[in-house]
Amino acid sequence: MRIEREIEIRASSAIAEALGVESAAMIRPTQNEAHGDYQVNGLLPLAKRLGKPPRELAQPVAEVLKKDAMFSAAEVAGPGFINLRLHPRWVSEQTCAMIADRARLGVPRAEPSQRVVVDYSSPNVAKQMHVGHLRSTILGDALCRMLRFVGHEVVADNHLGDWGTQFGLLIVGMRRWGDEAALQASPIDELERVYRLASAEAKQNETFAEEARHELAKLQEGDANNRAIWQRFVAATRESLEGVYRRLDVHFDVWMGESAYHDMLPGVVQELLERGLARLDEGAVCVFFSEQDAAPAELKRLETPFIIRKKDGAYLYSTSDIATLFYRRDTWNTQRAIYVVDVRQSLHFQQLFALAELLGLSMRLEHVGFGTILGGDGKPLKTRDGGTVTLSSLLDEAEERARARIGEQGLEIAPEALDEAARIIGIGAVKYADLRQNRLSDYRFDWDKMISFQGNAGPYLQYAYARLSSIFRKGEIDVEALWTGASQQGSFELEDHAETQALAKHLLRFADLLHQATESLQPHLVCDHLYQLARLFSAFYEACPILKAEGGLRHSRLSLAALAGAQLRLGLSLLGIGVVERM
């Protein structure tokens, strides 16, 4: 059940009963739990409409809400708020209902379900993934997991940079400097070496640059030999990429790179010209939003053209992105498309989405922008010698540091399980450190804070889960039997104890929180919830001995602990983070 939505329905009904008017109640959790659990705010705007003081309207509404079994108190406060406190018996019933719904823990499916494409990661062929790909990859993966769980049909699309100028340079460069043995042994390293040489040569040698353009044209026209070379580049890159994705536990449904849309590009340009959305300007084909009456005002003022085809006939990202929209609409019947790309591309997506609107594409388009990962000096993260940090080397270091921290903490991890634990904890720490940030913010990459078993860090949550799991091992509790028994019993009374009630109420907020995070595309909300859950469980554990309790009290505490563990594990899995059963 979505608690806030349920309260909104009941409070709106109470307004209608008490005041005889239809008005939506606005609900939010209280800022101070001493005042209650939720607050009804909708009476202040209603007071203006009816010309009466808000408190005068709030009092009869509160009287109606006091009769509702969901609440133990409904009190008017401030200028006309109504503070609501959930009834312990109702909390117990809903907690039991969550346990009965073990697969979903009370999280309802979104209605209506949508076909959603999430476009993320998108590295370039013939290059290693570097730290700059980290945020897109793990943000996109978390969004896919969350969207699927709440009931949407998701297509995870890795839109590779596999078509463009670099391939002409690589084809010519491999002929001049390529080492077949090196290409066999370490293809990405060899391709990067050759590309650097070719790129430098093209800048000072126009003959070389012209040859590269000629080979690129042959490739794009379907020359069999160049296509075979290009396919080798793509295959080698994909093999390298898939190794990184396996480590990150990231999976895609399709790998649709720019090359997949190449044959559509002339038609895209032609349609834009015919519909008067683009025109020739000094040989290039451009969309000028200042000339489009229906274009957004901010784009009109900028007067920055959206270039669709360069004067030399070359196509751009803009062209292939429009073709991609047509493909997703016509092939997948996409209703919502989400692009996980850093904020520096904001103008591109503003223009793309505005053009889609002018084209009449009835698809919800969203740019999930994000900030930069910074080093300790506040500048973009680099290696000690100033080079780009590769993603593989970063993950290697995460695992090594996690292994060292496990030793420092003296954790109880069997030697044969140490490698896997270091992987789960190290990579989970990197993911959580990124996902816990508001994605629009830059953040400093700090290994000590990241791989910590204290504070708001991934290892702290993983340790909380392992600690929770140990309760059932120590007590030799059959968790499966506990879940089954709690479900069949139908209801049990949680004690009216501050720590118990605080933990149970927080668990009940998960459904609302997850839907909010999914709709707003903000995974950090899930991180905030899980961190608070771990803290509340710790307080509950200290105040309410579980295994020493007896009878019904022991059963209710065990059930609440099992539910907390299940929600912690589920929440972490929706972020793409694993757990360790023993620490």
Side-chain angles (χ1 to χ4, degrees):
M1 176 189 289
R2 296 185 61 176
I3 304 301
E4 288 187 33
R5 180 170 291 182
E6 181 65 21
I7 296 174
E8 184 178 329
I9 292 170
R10 297 189 187 207
S12 297
S13 176
I15 290 171
E17 180 180 338
L19 304 178
V21 296
E22 298 291 329
S23 180
M26 293 183 288
I27 306 299
R28 66 174 180 83
T30 57
Q31 296 295 313
N32 185 342
E33 62 183 25
H35 299 154
D37 300 313
Y38 292 90
Q39 190 175 84
V40 182
N41 294 333
L43 292 164
L44 274 69
L46 185 60
K48 294 180 180 179
R49 177 173 139 196
L50 299 179
K52 293 184 178 181
R55 289 185 66 92
E56 183 179 322
L57 298 178
Q59 193 58 52
V61 176
E63 294 301 320
V64 174
L65 289 169
K66 286 178 183 178
K67 301 173 187 176
D68 193 315
M70 185 177 185
F71 310 113
S72 61
E75 300 174 347
V76 178
F81 305 123
I82 301 175
N83 289 330
L84 302 172
R85 192 175 297 279
L86 298 176
H87 198 290
R89 186 179 304 110
W90 188 89
V91 172
S92 295
E93 292 169 356
Q94 295 308 310
T95 303
C96 191
M98 287 181 73
I99 291 176
D101 183 21
R102 184 174 183 181
R104 300 193 57 77
L105 300 184
V107 179
R109 295 183 183 276
E111 295 181 3
S113 175
Q114 292 182 312
R115 173 73 66 84
V116 183
V117 173
V118 183
D119 183 326
Y120 65 106
S121 194
S122 306
N124 290 319
V125 164
K127 295 182 180 180
Q128 292 195 58
M129 290 181 75
H130 55 77
V131 70
H133 294 109
L134 179 66
R135 301 205 76 179
S136 175
T137 302
I138 64 176
L139 272 168
D141 178 61
L143 291 175
C144 286
R145 291 168 184 263
M146 291 160 53
L147 286 159
R148 284 195 179 103
F149 187 78
V150 301
H152 296 296
E153 185 179 354
V154 177
V155 177
D157 188 357
N158 196 356
H159 190 78
L160 292 174
D162 66 351
W163 203 247
T165 304
Q166 71 266 37
F167 294 104
L169 292 168
L170 276 170
I171 290 170
V172 177
M174 286 301 295
R175 290 174 185 162
R176 179 176 295 192
W177 298 292
D179 182 325
E180 182 61 30
L183 188 63
Q184 292 277 358
S186 184
I188 302 303
D189 288 339
E190 176 64 1
L191 290 173
E192 286 193 331
R193 182 186 73 84
V194 169
Y195 178 73
R196 285 193 294 269
L197 292 169
S199 181
E201 183 69 15
K203 291 176 181 177
Q204 61 186 15
N205 185 339
E206 180 55 31
T207 301
F208 183 90
E210 179 56 35
E211 185 181 355
R213 287 192 290 268
H214 175 68
E215 294 300 335
L216 176 63
K218 286 171 61 179
L219 168 66
Q220 295 182 341
E221 290 165 4
D223 177 80
N225 186 54
N226 281 10
R227 279 293 174 104
I229 297 171
W230 169 77
Q231 286 168 353
R232 188 177 182 189
F233 297 161
V234 173
T237 304
R238 178 156 179 173
E239 183 178 353
S240 172
L241 294 175
E242 286 181 330
V244 176
Y245 292 137
R246 279 193 297 272
R247 295 181 70 181
L248 288 168
D249 192 22
V250 169
H251 310 275
F252 297 93
D253 298 303
V254 293
W255 295 58
M256 295 282 286
E258 296 167 40
S259 62
Y261 309 100
H262 178 70
D263 292 344
M264 297 175 63
L265 304 188
V268 166
V269 174
Q270 188 62 32
E271 179 169 350
L272 292 173
L273 288 169
E274 289 177 352
R275 294 180 59 170
L277 295 173
R279 64 174 174 82
L280 282 168
D281 182 68
E282 297 182 2
V285 177
C286 305
V287 176
F288 289 91
F289 290 101
S290 59
E291 300 173 1
Q292 302 296 328
D293 292 340
E298 61 271 20
L299 291 182
K300 285 185 178 183
R301 287 194 297 269
L302 282 176
E303 296 186 355
T304 303
F306 197 45
I307 304 173
I308 304 300
R309 190 182 68 199
K310 294 164 70 175
K311 63 181 180 181
D312 63 2
Y315 301 109
L316 298 98
Y317 292 125
S318 54
T319 332
S320 61
D321 279 352
I322 298 163
T324 302
L325 285 173
F326 286 140
Y327 180 90
R328 290 171 176 169
R329 178 197 65 184
D330 299 338
T331 306
W332 296 333
N333 190 30
T334 301
Q335 296 162 288
R336 185 180 184 188
I338 298 166
Y339 296 80
V340 189
V341 183
D342 75 63
V343 293
R344 290 173 296 178
Q345 299 299 317
S346 294
L347 177 59
H348 169 80
F349 286 107
Q350 279 183 281
Q351 293 178 318
L352 177 66
F353 297 169
L355 183 55
E357 183 77 18
L358 294 171
L359 284 163
L361 289 171
S362 56
M363 190 187 304
R364 179 178 171 184
L365 302 174
E366 295 164 279
H367 173 211
V368 175
F370 53 84
T372 302
I373 301 176
L374 306 176
D377 58 0
K379 298 177 181 179
L381 186 64
K382 298 284 186 181
T383 60
R384 286 181 181 148
D385 60 3
T388 302
V389 179
T390 66
L391 198 44
S392 290
S393 67
L394 184 142
L395 299 180
D396 288 343
E397 185 166 358
E399 293 185 25
E400 290 169 8
R401 286 177 176 265
R403 180 189 290 271
R405 190 59 62 88
I406 288 169
E408 292 167 8
Q409 295 289 127
L411 300 181
E412 297 179 6
I413 297 176
E416 64 273 15
L418 185 56
D419 287 347
E420 180 66 2
R423 183 191 67 80
I424 292 172
I425 293 170
I427 293 178
V430 170
K431 288 187 175 185
Y432 186 84
D434 196 301
L435 293 170
R436 68 175 284 260
Q437 313 293 329
N438 182 318
R439 56 179 170 77
L440 292 173
S441 303
D442 297 341
Y443 76 93
R444 294 198 181 199
F445 198 89
D446 186 324
W447 283 115
D448 290 334
K449 291 181 180 179
M450 186 179 297
I451 304 182
S452 173
F453 291 92
Q454 298 178 341
N456 194 359
Y460 170 74
L461 298 184
Q462 291 167 322
Y463 181 73
Y465 175 81
R467 183 186 184 193
L468 211 158
S469 297
S470 72
I471 295 169
F472 298 95
R473 286 196 304 275
K474 290 177 183 176
E476 298 182 345
I477 306 298
D478 185 337
V479 180
E480 292 297 326
L482 178 71
W483 279 95
T484 302
S487 300
Q488 292 176 347
Q489 187 173 332
S491 181
F492 57 80
E493 288 292 326
L494 292 172
E495 59 196 308
D496 191 5
H497 186 285
E499 282 79 7
T500 302
Q501 289 292 312
L503 175 59
K505 290 172 184 178
H506 189 75
L507 289 166
L508 293 179
R509 288 180 174 175
F510 184 61
D512 274 310
L513 180 283
L514 184 56
H515 277 272
Q516 180 187 349
T518 303
E519 182 60 23
S520 64
L521 305 175
Q522 297 185 91
H524 78 274
L525 298 177
V526 177
C527 296
D528 293 344
H529 177 87
L530 296 179
Y531 176 55
Q532 186 64 13
L533 170 57
R535 288 166 56 87
L536 288 170
F537 179 78
S538 181
F540 163 74
Y541 182 75
E542 294 298 326
C544 304
I546 297 174
L547 296 179
K548 292 180 181 179
E550 298 179 352
L553 182 60
R554 186 174 193 264
H555 175 72
S556 71
R557 288 180 180 178
L558 281 169
S559 298
L560 189 61
L563 183 57
Q567 191 174 107
L568 193 54
R569 180 173 188 145
L570 172 60
L572 286 170
S573 75
L574 294 177
L575 299 174
I577 298 172
V579 295
V580 178
E581 295 292 333
R582 293 173 180 264
M583 284 194 197

